[in-house]
Amino acid sequence: MKYYVTTAIDYANAAPHIGHAYEKIAADIVARYQRMLGKEVFFLTGTDEHGIKVEKAAAAAGKSPQEFVDEIAAKFQNAWKLLNISNDYFIRTTEERHKKVVQAVFAKMREKGDVYKGSYKGLYCEGCEDFWRERDLKDGKCPNHLREPKVVEEENYFFRLSKYKDAVREWLTSSQEHVKPDGRRLEVLNQLEDPELGDFSCTRSRGSLSWGIPVPDEPDQVIYVWIDALTNYITGAGYNTDESAWKKWWPADLHLIGKDITKFHAIYWPAMLLSIDVELPNLVFGHGFITVEGQKMSKTLGNVLDPVYLTETYKSDSIRYFLFEANTFDQDGDFSRQDMINKVNSHLANGLGNLLNRAIKLLETNFEGKVPELPLDPAMLKSIEESSRKYHEFMEEMEFAKAIKVIFEGIVDEANRYVNDRKPWTLFKEGKKDEGGIVLATVMAMLKRAALLLSPFTPNLSNDIWEQLGFDLPLNSVSVESEVYKTAVPANQAVRNRGPVFQRLEEPGIEASAGTKK
C-alpha cells in the first residue's frame, strides 16, 4: 500500500520559523507512522519561490530573485535536516520540471475554456497574495497581516471557478473525511455559498509581477500564485513527467496545511483538478497556529523563533516531542521554553530514561546483562496491547497529544509503577531471583513497545532505546505486522548500557545539554 503526504510549500521571502517547523514535523510524524504501518510513503515538502514578496525581499538584499531563493531554500532544507524531517523530495517552484508542469496545466485549462481574459479591480494583500472584499477588512486592513491592501486594476486571466462550484460542493458533502477538522469543512462550505466567491485572477501582468512563470505564448502575462503553488503537489507526484510515479502516488492521501489557506486547498485546488481531469485528493487537513509564550509571532516583538537555534540548543527530539505533547493539533497551540523544559525533563529524562537505566543496571547485576528467559506479567502485557490499540486510533485521527498521553499513561508510567510496587531489587536480596526476573523481562517488553510507538515523535531517542535494548535491526524497518513488533525482547538478548539515554535540559539562558546521547 502507498501513502502520499504533502505539506504547504513555504514562501521563500524569509528564513524558516517555528510555525513552519510545526507543520513539517507533523507531516513527518504522519509519514513515519504510515511507514510503521508497512506502507510505502512519499513525503513532499518544499518552497514557493515566485511572487512580489520575493522580488521585494531580493531587491532589499541586493540580490537577484534566483540568488535570493537559492539561499532561502537552502535554509529551509538545513532546518528540516536538523529537525530529522524524513521528506522524500524537496520541491522548488523555480525548478524547470515544475515550470513545465504549470504551463501544461494552464494550457489545458485554456483549451477547456476554463481560463479567460478579463479586467479586474480589487483590494489586494501582498501578504496573503489574494484579493479582499472591503467588508471583510478590519479597520481597513487585512485581518491576517494588519496592513491596508492595495487597489489593483489590470487585465489578466481568470479561472472559471463558477463552473466547478457545484462539483466542489458535492465533493465536500459526499464525505466528512475530505476536509478536516469538521469545523474547517463547514467553514469552507459557507465560503462556497457566498455569491461573491466567483472566478478568480490566475495571472498578473508582467508590469506588476515579473518574477514568475510566463503564460505559454504570452510573455506579458505571468501565472499567478495559486496555480503555480498548488500545482507542486502533482508535479512532485510525476504529473506529465513520470507516468509510473504518477500512477503510483496520486491521489494525495493527505494535504497538510495551515488553517488560513484551507479555502485555497478545499475550493480552488479541487476545482483546478477537476478542470484538468485529475482525481481529487483524499484529505485536506487544516491545522492550528503556534504562538510563542502566548503571543503571535512578530518581528516587532522579537519572538520569531528560529528552528535551527532551537534544535542546536535543545536538540530535535525535545522540540518535536513538546510541540505535539502540549498542543492539540487541530487547534491553535503555544510554544513555551520553560514548559518544554519541564515536560521533556519529566517525561523523557525522568519517566522514560530513568526507567531504562534502572532496568538495564538491574539486569547487569543479576542476569549478566541479558534478558531472563521467564514468563511476562499478563496484567502488564494487557496494558501494552490496550494502550497500543488506543494509540493507533488516535494516530489515525492525527490526535497526536492523545497518542503521546496513552504511551506514557498506559506503558511508561505503568511500567514505573510496576517496578516501584514489585521492587525487584528487594526480591533479589530475598533470593527470589525468578520473581525479580519476571519484572525486568516485562519492563523490557514495555520499554520496547514505548520506543516503537514514540518513534514518529522522537526518532533519535527511540533509536537509542532500541539499541540499548540490544536490537541490531533498524527501528525504522519494523512494521506493526512484523513479529519483532508483536513479541517481547528475546530471552537471553544482551542489553547495552550506554549511560543515560536522555540528558535533562537546562533552564533558559543557561547552556543547554539536551537530546539523545550516542
Side-chain angles (χ1 to χ4, degrees):
M1 293 180 66
K2 70 90 179 176
Y3 193 92
Y4 179 27
V5 54
T6 73
T7 72
I9 50 174
D10 298 311
Y11 203 61
N13 67 326
H17 57 63
I18 192 68
H20 298 122
Y22 183 56
E23 180 175 285
K24 305 311 173 286
I25 297 169
D28 185 63
I29 290 166
V30 171
R32 289 176 184 273
Y33 176 70
Q34 293 296 328
R35 294 184 193 115
M36 186 196 298
L37 297 183
K39 296 179 185 177
E40 189 176 0
V41 171
F42 184 54
F43 171 14
L44 181 72
T45 190
T47 40
D48 178 6
E49 301 182 7
H50 293 124
I52 294 171
K53 288 188 291 184
V54 165
E55 277 187 304
K56 289 187 174 181
K63 296 173 181 174
S64 72
Q66 189 64 59
E67 289 174 325
F68 184 78
V69 296
D70 286 347
E71 291 181 7
I72 294 296
K75 289 180 179 181
F76 276 91
Q77 288 172 301
N78 179 57
W80 304 160
K81 182 179 179 180
L82 291 174
L83 278 166
N84 222 338
I85 307 300
S86 63
N87 55 291
D88 297 287
Y89 190 70
F90 188 96
I91 192 166
R92 300 180 57 191
T93 57
T94 53
E95 61 187 63
E96 285 303 314
R97 177 178 66 143
H98 180 68
K99 292 178 184 178
K100 291 176 181 177
V101 170
V102 169
Q103 290 180 321
V105 165
F106 189 91
K108 188 167 185 178
M109 289 175 173
R110 186 161 55 181
E111 287 170 13
K112 290 186 68 173
D114 289 344
V115 294
Y116 61 93
K117 274 250 181 104
S119 294
Y120 186 79
K121 182 178 181 180
L123 298 169
Y124 179 75
C125 172
E126 290 182 1
C128 296
E129 294 199 292
D130 194 25
F131 290 91
W132 283 87
R133 296 174 301 187
E134 190 167 355
R135 74 185 191 193
D136 293 328
L137 300 176
K138 291 186 178 179
D139 299 322
K141 297 179 179 180
C142 164
N144 291 333
H145 296 90
L146 303 179
R147 61 189 181 208
E148 293 182 4
K150 295 181 178 180
V151 177
V152 172
E153 183 175 11
E154 63 182 32
E155 183 181 64
N156 48 36
Y157 277 96
F158 287 75
F159 176 77
R160 209 178 293 277
L161 178 65
S162 53
K163 177 179 175 181
Y164 293 101
K165 287 177 76 172
D166 288 343
V168 172
R169 183 183 300 106
E170 182 179 348
W171 177 69
L172 287 166
T173 56
S174 65
S175 171
Q176 295 185 7
E177 299 299 309
H178 289 152
V179 176
K180 288 184 176 181
D182 198 50
R184 309 247 196 278
R185 184 181 66 87
L186 296 175
E187 181 182 352
V188 167
L189 279 168
N190 286 334
Q191 292 170 331
L192 194 60
E193 298 307 318
D194 187 341
E196 293 189 33
L197 180 71
D199 300 350
F200 61 86
S201 171
C202 61
T203 69
R204 299 293 303 275
S205 69
R206 188 165 288 280
S208 60
L209 171 64
S210 61
W211 181 239
I213 301 171
V215 170
D217 304 319
E218 289 193 53
D220 64 322
Q221 289 282 317
V222 175
I223 297 172
Y224 179 57
V225 60
W226 294 111
I227 289 182
D228 180 359
L230 292 169
T231 298
N232 93 87
Y233 303 131
I234 59 175
T235 301
Y239 178 80
N240 220 39
T241 58
D242 187 336
E243 189 64 23
S244 62
W246 176 245
K247 288 180 179 179
K248 179 177 182 177
W249 296 116
W250 195 262
D253 294 276
L254 171 64
H255 287 321
L256 194 60
I257 58 164
K259 64 180 183 179
D260 58 328
I261 53 174
T262 307
K263 177 180 80 172
F264 306 108
H265 284 77
I267 297 179
Y268 288 20
W269 181 227
M272 289 163 54
L273 291 172
L274 289 166
S275 174
I276 60 172
D277 304 312
V278 168
E279 189 176 352
L280 303 192
N282 293 335
L283 172 62
V284 173
F285 191 101
H287 62 79
F289 292 152
I290 286 291
T291 56
V292 175
E293 309 291 349
Q295 293 182 307
K296 186 176 180 179
M297 278 183 284
S298 162
K299 290 182 180 178
T300 304
L301 293 174
N303 66 346
V304 178
L305 288 180
D306 176 5
V308 173
Y309 162 77
L310 288 174
T311 303
E312 291 175 343
T313 304
Y314 300 109
K315 305 303 181 185
S316 62
D317 280 353
S318 302
I319 312 302
R320 293 173 63 105
Y321 179 81
F322 173 72
L323 280 173
F324 293 93
E325 189 278 339
N327 299 297
T328 302
F329 187 51
D330 64 350
Q331 301 172 21
D332 289 349
D334 187 61
F335 180 87
S336 162
R337 286 195 222 198
Q338 188 59 63
D339 196 15
M340 178 187 72
I341 288 168
N342 292 342
K343 288 194 171 182
V344 166
N345 285 344
S346 174
H347 299 177
L348 303 185
N350 297 347
L352 186 57
N354 286 349
L355 175 67
L356 177 71
N357 192 45
R358 285 201 296 171
I360 286 180
K361 285 182 178 178
L362 286 169
L363 284 175
E364 288 178 325
T365 302
N366 298 280
F367 292 96
E368 298 179 340
K370 295 180 180 180
V371 178
E373 190 172 356
L374 291 165
L376 306 186
D377 190 305
M380 294 300 101
L381 291 179
K382 183 177 180 181
S383 184
I384 291 174
E385 296 310 321
E386 179 62 17
S387 298
S388 298
R389 182 187 64 78
K390 291 178 181 178
Y391 164 89
H392 289 297
E393 289 178 358
F394 292 138
M395 290 296 284
E396 289 291 347
E397 295 299 320
M398 286 185 281
E399 294 182 326
F400 301 129
K402 290 181 180 179
I404 289 173
K405 184 178 181 181
V406 81
I407 295 170
F408 276 84
E409 289 189 352
I411 301 178
V412 178
D413 295 347
E414 194 66 24
N416 275 306
R417 280 193 293 272
Y418 179 57
V419 170
N420 291 335
D421 289 345
R422 295 293 294 144
K423 297 180 174 59
W425 52 89
T426 300
L427 294 173
F428 294 136
K429 287 181 181 177
E430 294 173 351
K432 300 175 181 177
K433 187 174 182 180
D434 281 0
E435 289 185 38
I438 288 171
V439 174
L440 295 183
T442 301
V443 169
M444 290 290 107
M446 299 177 86
L447 282 163
K448 172 176 171 286
R449 185 62 62 86
L452 281 160
L453 301 186
L454 272 174
S455 61
F457 302 96
T458 58
N460 289 335
L461 172 62
S462 292
N463 276 323
D464 283 357
I465 294 172
W466 189 251
E467 290 175 5
Q468 291 209 32
L469 293 176
F471 290 100
D472 294 316
L473 180 72
L475 177 59
N476 61 12
S477 69
V478 178
S479 77
V480 296
E481 297 301 322
S482 67
E483 286 302 308
V484 178
Y485 175 88
K486 296 175 183 177
T487 55
V489 180
N492 297 312
Q493 179 160 295
V495 297
R496 300 168 178 137
N497 188 346
R498 294 177 177 170
V501 72
F502 197 94
Q503 296 182 359
R504 291 175 58 83
L505 301 187
E506 301 293 338
E507 295 296 322
I510 300 174
E511 186 68 25
S513 175
T516 55
K517 185 177 181 182
K518 293 287 183 184

